[in-house]
Amino acid sequence: MAETRRLTLEALERLTHGVLAASGFDAAHAEAIGRVIDAAQRDACHSHGVYRLLGMASAVREGLARGDVAPEVIDHARTIVKVDARFGFSPLAFERGLPALIEKTRRQGIAAMAINRCFHFTALWPEVERIAAEGLVGIAMTPSHAWVAPHGGSRGLFGTNPLAFSWPRPHAEPYVFDFATSAIARGDIELHRRAGKPLEPGWAVDSAGRPTLDPQAALDGAMLSFGGHKGSALATMIELLAGPLIDDMTSLESQRFDHGRGAAPCHGELILALDPQAFLGVSLEAAQARAEALFAEIVAQGARLPSERRRAARRRATTEGAVEIPAALVEELEALRSGQD
């Protein structure tokens, strides 16, 4: 088992902000990115925690991404807000556009936010959780790089193409899921490679299109979608909705834009928000009760609701005031923070 280091939550925050500052991110970007990176680490989402700082630093170092540019919020239409990230990272763009998205949703009942020209390397659940905190239903999706073969294919075409959803609950934490349409997240394959662990069957193929359990062969080859043709179809939907529909890049176009530099994917993101009050009016309370009955039936069968493990990890980290991180990763990040990469 790989050696780990225990960092207090304060030390985690200092490490994250230090790496971002040393990598060329201004205070606004560092704070917005730090919030989602540290939240993922607290929730034991290791593939989207501080590990992601390596790719972010690389994107700025390679001159692809900017860490010091202010996103532009555009009042595009009655139900649409656009945010031009101007080749910066998405967390700040999301935060700057969120108030307009909420205001439009409350006024119209449904609204969309399109983030363009952004580098997105973080989890989507912090975004839909923010929407649910306002009493709204949230949906978010984004392409990435062409790492995933379509069902029946053998070469990367789709991104991991995550989809996130949140349902606000009046007396409980929101119902939230966030998953890649690939069989596993790209970051998890990279973490398997770093740890020297084999992959699970059905996750990937090598460069010749043969099934592989070797993480490096998978990174050189292609990942597979989850659920065969069903995951492939969902990935296609996300390519279209968060690509051409919002006038941004598909995963294949994003990969070509990268020119083999291996930086974070650059593309767009689509976020939808729906107001249950506008849809339901006086029926809101009864509809919420029916939703709660559905959740209760799930749990009564011995199943768990999505995000329960993540939230348990959050409570544990909060109680203990610390998280465990692979020692080799901490050393790599500390070198970045001190400018020794």
Side-chain angles (χ1 to χ4, degrees):
M1 188 172 180
E3 181 185 354
T4 63
R5 285 221 355 227
R6 188 173 179 83
L7 268 65
T8 67
L9 297 182
E10 293 77 10
L12 172 67
E13 183 177 346
R14 287 195 300 271
L15 178 62
T16 299
H17 280 253
V19 169
L20 291 168
S23 301
F25 290 86
D26 64 19
H29 275 284
E31 289 171 8
I33 293 169
R35 275 188 279 273
V36 294
I37 290 289
D38 291 349
Q41 197 66 53
R42 285 195 304 270
D43 284 17
C45 295
H46 300 292
S47 63
H48 288 80
V50 292
Y51 167 72
R52 293 286 177 171
L53 294 172
L54 301 176
M56 293 178 171
S58 174
V60 173
R61 184 171 58 247
E62 293 290 341
L64 286 173
R66 296 183 60 185
D68 59 354
V69 62
E72 179 187 5
V73 179
I74 303 160
D75 188 356
H76 184 73
R78 281 194 308 166
T79 58
I80 302 171
V81 57
K82 285 196 169 188
V83 185
D84 184 355
R86 301 170 64 197
F87 298 108
F89 281 86
S90 59
L92 183 60
F94 174 82
E95 289 191 359
R96 294 285 172 86
L98 183 60
L101 175 66
I102 292 169
E103 190 274 331
K104 287 177 181 289
T105 305
R106 295 205 193 287
R107 191 192 314 161
Q108 306 294 339
I110 184 170
M113 176 162 64
I115 301 177
N116 292 109
R117 299 198 299 169
C118 74
F119 285 83
H120 199 297
F121 228 36
T122 50
L124 291 176
W125 59 259
E127 298 179 358
V128 295
E129 281 193 355
R130 291 277 296 273
I131 293 170
E134 298 292 334
L136 307 175
V137 173
I139 302 171
M141 65 192 77
T142 179
S144 56
H145 273 345
W147 292 318
V148 182
H151 182 62
S154 58
R155 297 190 306 276
L157 177 63
F158 303 141
T160 52
N161 293 16
L163 176 68
F165 171 82
S166 63
W167 176 274
R169 302 174 67 186
H171 305 297
E173 293 180 296
Y175 176 92
V176 174
F177 68 73
D178 175 5
F179 58 76
T181 52
S182 55
I184 192 69
R186 177 80 170 183
D188 282 318
I189 289 185
E190 293 172 338
L191 289 176
H192 274 68
R193 179 186 61 79
R194 293 169 70 91
K197 293 170 54 179
L199 305 180
E200 296 291 331
W203 284 7
V205 294
D206 64 18
S207 58
R210 299 170 301 207
T212 184
L213 305 183
D214 180 350
Q216 187 58 58
L219 294 172
D220 294 336
M223 301 166 65
L224 299 176
S225 59
F226 83 88
H229 65 281
K230 296 179 181 180
S232 191
L234 280 175
T236 305
M237 178 194 75
I238 293 168
E239 291 283 342
L240 296 171
L241 293 180
L245 180 67
I246 64 171
D247 193 23
D248 218 307
M249 289 188 277
T250 64
S251 295
L252 187 60
E253 291 167 335
S254 175
Q255 186 121 33
R256 289 169 177 164
F257 177 79
D258 183 72
H259 294 298
R261 284 173 282 197
C266 179
H267 43 67
E269 180 185 359
L270 178 65
I271 301 109
L272 304 174
L274 300 87
D275 186 358
Q277 180 66 61
F279 277 83
L280 294 162
V282 296
S283 300
L284 175 61
E285 188 172 338
Q288 289 173 329
R290 291 167 56 210
E292 290 303 311
L294 175 63
F295 298 141
E297 286 293 334
I298 293 172
V299 175
Q301 294 189 24
R304 66 177 180 85
L305 299 179
S307 299
E308 285 186 0
R309 270 197 300 241
R310 182 170 59 75
R311 286 170 178 155
R314 181 188 306 176
R315 290 190 292 270
R316 183 169 60 251
T318 301
T319 300
E320 297 177 359
V323 293
E324 296 282 342
I325 303 175
L329 176 58
V330 174
E331 291 173 5
E332 199 169 349
L333 293 171
E334 288 176 340
L336 273 177
R337 179 171 60 177
S338 60
Q340 299 171 10
D341 66 312

